[in-house]
Amino acid sequence: MSDQQARQNLIEIASSLYQRGYATGSAGNISLLLEDNTILATPTGASLGRLQPKELSKLTLSGEHISGNKPSKEVKFHLGLYHNNPSCKAVVHLHSLYLTALSCLSDLNYQNAIKPFTPYVVMRMGDVPVIPYYKPGDIQIATELSKLAANHQAFLLANHGAVTIGNSLQDATNNYEELEETAKLIFILKDQKIKYLTEDEIKELRK
Ligand SMILES: [Zn+2]
């Protein structure tokens, strides 16, 4: 994918996420890894619904700003994910409604915030660990995500939102959408008795 195609791809996906309510205001940030090992990222303060190709931030993998507008301060943790997971080609971080609501619950299991009751999160992402709360942009978010990057595809940031990665921007976006729908189901089913998947059913999905 050329630089030009990658910019178009990022803008289309960001706009689609915005139009469908996954992102509001100027919240959330998305990045992808280009073939020359540079990063294309959404700029600071920009709405995902109205991005222009030229304003996208271009960075080196070590975080030096090459061109475009200044990147979001949250790009630090994107870099940590690329550095620690060679198959990570894109990062999606949003403050979508249901995942953010889930991230604010006090009794989350920090090893896996989503106890499986449908197959898809297990098949696509496996366990979804929780990063403790730190101020947005705090380097500790990058440090904690870096430690988990090699073995996970999705993460909840406590009292903040969620992060997914993938082997393409479409893949990372599909992971995010699946995760948000699952969080929505958790709240819809809140007062119901859920039939969770059994250990054997989960094992079969992980094969
Ligand atoms: Zn954020």
Side-chain angles (χ1 to χ4, degrees), residues 74 93 95 160:
E74 293 190 301
H93 164 54
H95 307 161
H160 182 159

Side-chain angles (χ1 to χ4, degrees), residues 114-119 122 182-183 185-186 189 194-197:
I114 298 185
K115 188 175 173 186
F117 56 93
T118 63
V122 184
T182 304
L185 283 173
I186 289 173
L189 293 167
I194 299 179
K195 186 198 92 60
Y196 289 99
L197 297 184

Side-chain angles (χ1 to χ4, degrees), residues 56 110 115 156 165-166:
L56 295 180
Y110 272 45
K115 188 175 173 186
L156 213 55
I165 62 177

